[in-house]
Amino acid sequence: MSGAGFIQLRLTGPRFEDGQIPLEFLGDLAALREMIIDVARWRFLQENPGRHRVPKGFAESVSLNLAGVEKGSAAPIIPYVERAMDSVVDAISSTGSDEGADVGLEPSHLAHFSRVGRGLKDGEAMEFGFPGRRPARLTQETRHRLLSKATANGIINREARYDVEFRGNQLVEANEVSLLDPLDVSARLEEFKNMKNGWFEGDGIAPSPDGLDWLASEFKRQYADDAPSPRLYPTFEGGVQAEWSFGSNAIVLEIDLSERTADWFWFDRDSDAEEERRLNLDDGDEWVWLANEVRSKAGTE
Amino acid sequence: MNDATLLHRQIHPDFVQAGTITSQVFRLTPKDKGRLSVYDGDQITADEAWRHYTSELGYPSCGVMAVSVGECKALGLSVESDPARYPEHAVIIFEGLRGSALKRKSDALTVAADNRGWQYRAGESVA
């Protein structure tokens, strides 16, 4: 266990003899952060079986630099992050010494190695370690062993977002690897930014990027993290429609991004029962009401 | 057409999330004027309808779902052939419906289509 200590990162090889880390490896560091957050998220959910999502802002609250976990990181999350770092280092070490070793990480975590260490050439290595521990060396060979474990276990599934390159059935490269909750609100709303006016049969207004940013921010800030996530879709009028479905209970929330209001419509598919309401999404109490109603209809309140 | 005839509806790529379609698939837009366009499944297969929609009409679609004429009639919706646009064109008529009643019908059609499953999925074969 690293405690709140340092991560030692060193690049070895002729290119790095002056002790500097080239700018091109900044992407590797960003990918390393993503991997650690992924593993930390996984551990959190494993150890909190009553939770279906990590706390809001989990990723954003993690601040890593080469000196370790920064003091600004949220205190309850630090233990998961530190153990995630241990897991990553152990995975590298065990694979380096034993190709067939069980690395103790999910294949989806291992897929991050498509970016971490991508810039390494033959004869070069990234060394990760903590004070008092023998460093783990990530070489191209180790990296490919880790990636082959990800492929062998079939990491690709419909709910993951990968941009990958295969040779045969071997995962070789990925330009971007990011495994998200399939109902991740921010990611879904970000997708809508690619839309253009006329998106539906030559008509249809694209949602405004500013409006999407506002909605993503409000969902993260105001919508209870233990309430079921909605499915989100663009509307013809340039808004966003949130939908939930729990058996006979159907909920449709039509969100007007410019007015910051939403029309709530719940109905029971098996009866005439229904309710309509206009919500002011600038009012925090309305978000509380929304989460309570969704939980109630889901039977999880 | 008869009650068993399938009516193919194109699915816009943004109308699917995590494998689930939105009820907007069967919702009217202003230009529909109360008549929702579908393809007559007795005259054209789902994959042919997809090719027509994407290649001939030039609109994006990630696949095709369907409801039957009988399912529409059970909801009080009539169906008509409308070959003026193209021979396989048909319409589900939502005349006189507004607000919550309209949303309920759209939802019911979506549930029926979802229960039937994809008739064609772009890039895949549908068993």
Side-chain angles (χ1 to χ4, degrees):
Chain A
M1 182 75 78
S2 65
F6 294 95
I7 301 174
Q8 292 173 331
L9 176 65
R10 193 163 75 98
L11 292 165
T12 65
R15 278 196 295 162
F16 317 118
E17 284 176 351
D18 61 359
Q20 303 299 315
I21 297 179
L23 279 175
E24 67 204 63
F25 282 91
L26 289 180
D28 293 64
L29 296 179
L32 178 64
R33 176 180 180 274
E34 279 186 37
M35 178 163 57
I36 289 170
I37 290 172
D38 240 358
V39 176
R41 180 188 287 121
W42 171 62
R43 289 212 177 280
F44 178 91
L45 292 174
Q46 278 198 322
E47 296 177 18
N48 295 275
R51 300 291 294 266
H52 300 290
R53 299 204 300 273
V54 296
K56 262 193 295 226
F58 184 91
E60 292 78 2
S61 69
V62 174
S63 178
L64 294 177
N65 61 29
L66 297 180
V69 180
E70 287 195 351
K71 290 178 184 171
S73 296
I77 295 173
I78 288 177
Y80 296 100
V81 174
E82 291 179 340
R83 279 155 51 204
M85 295 194 293
D86 283 339
S87 297
V88 170
V89 171
D90 286 344
I92 296 169
S93 290
S94 60
T95 299
S97 58
D98 177 1
E99 185 174 354
D102 177 5
V103 298
L105 291 177
E106 297 287 297
S108 57
H109 305 142
L110 299 177
H112 285 284
F113 282 107
S114 67
R115 290 170 64 204
V116 179
R118 182 159 67 170
L120 291 172
K121 302 184 192 314
D122 286 341
E124 296 178 348
M126 292 177 83
E127 292 185 351
F128 302 86
F130 305 110
R133 276 190 65 172
R134 185 190 176 105
R137 284 173 56 86
L138 181 71
T139 63
Q140 278 294 0
E141 182 183 354
T142 316
R143 183 171 163 266
H144 286 137
R145 287 181 186 175
L146 289 161
L147 283 173
S148 69
K149 289 179 189 293
T151 308
N153 285 282
I155 61 168
I156 304 300
N157 64 69
R158 285 184 184 282
E159 311 301 353
R161 294 198 176 90
Y162 297 95
D163 181 10
V164 298
E165 178 186 345
F166 280 87
R167 287 194 197 119
N169 65 352
Q170 184 79 16
L171 176 64
V172 173
E173 198 61 87
N175 293 322
E176 179 179 337
V177 173
S178 178
L179 181 63
L180 296 168
D181 172 359
L183 298 186
D184 183 277
V185 169
S186 295
R188 178 63 170 163
L189 294 175
E190 191 69 22
E191 289 176 17
F192 296 165
K193 289 184 178 178
N194 296 324
M195 299 176 67
K196 302 280 187 281
N197 288 337
W199 60 272
F200 187 80
E201 295 185 351
D203 289 319
I205 301 170
S208 77
D210 287 346
L212 292 170
D213 284 340
W214 163 79
L215 186 60
S217 171
E218 289 303 285
F219 250 107
K220 184 183 291 186
R221 196 169 66 88
Q222 305 262 37
Y223 188 67
D225 60 7
D226 64 341
S229 295
R231 286 183 162 77
L232 297 168
Y233 308 95
T235 69
F236 188 81
E237 297 82 8
V240 171
Q241 179 155 305
E243 298 182 9
W244 295 261
S245 181
F246 311 111
S248 65
N249 286 302
I251 301 169
V252 176
L253 189 74
E254 293 184 39
I255 302 168
D256 186 321
L257 299 179
S258 58
E259 297 294 319
R260 300 187 175 185
T261 59
D263 288 329
W264 157 278
F265 178 50
W266 160 78
F267 59 99
D268 182 347
R269 293 183 170 111
D270 295 337
S271 77
D272 293 333
E274 62 183 46
E275 181 188 16
E276 294 182 276
R277 176 177 166 143
R278 169 66 60 92
L279 304 181
N280 172 11
L281 296 183
D282 276 336
D283 183 342
D285 289 343
E286 301 276 60
W287 285 92
V288 173
W289 180 90
L290 174 65
N292 287 339
E293 285 296 309
V294 171
R295 279 195 288 253
S296 168
K297 301 300 189 272
T300 58
E301 191 172 40
Chain B
M1 287 189 281
N2 56 54
D3 283 1
T5 300
L6 291 184
L7 305 170
H8 297 309
R9 180 71 177 162
Q10 302 295 328
I11 310 298
H12 190 284
D14 289 320
F15 279 175
V16 187
Q17 183 184 12
T20 302
I21 59 172
T22 170
S23 58
Q24 295 178 92
V25 167
F26 290 95
R27 184 173 298 173
L28 299 166
T29 64
K31 74 172 186 179
D32 290 329
K33 296 184 171 55
R35 299 159 71 90
L36 191 76
S37 288
V38 291
Y39 285 81
D40 178 355
D42 284 346
Q43 297 193 54
I44 192 168
T45 63
D47 60 316
E48 290 169 346
W50 179 84
R51 264 182 283 278
H52 177 265
Y53 187 81
T54 55
S55 299
E56 301 290 324
L57 302 184
Y59 299 142
S61 169
C62 65
V64 177
M65 289 198 141
V67 292
S68 71
V69 171
E71 285 162 345
C72 293
K73 288 163 71 173
L75 290 169
L77 304 171
S78 58
V79 180
E80 288 180 4
S81 181
D82 181 22
R85 287 183 63 183
Y86 41 91
E88 306 87 1
H89 185 239
V91 289
I92 303 173
I93 300 170
F94 288 77
E95 274 174 0
L97 288 170
R98 282 180 176 73
S100 61
L102 190 56
K103 291 178 186 176
R104 278 181 175 268
K105 305 280 187 195
S106 297
D107 176 79
L109 289 175
T110 304
V111 170
D114 197 44
N115 287 341
R116 180 171 282 106
W118 291 93
Q119 300 302 296
Y120 177 76
R121 195 107 192 241
E124 293 181 13
S125 60
V126 176

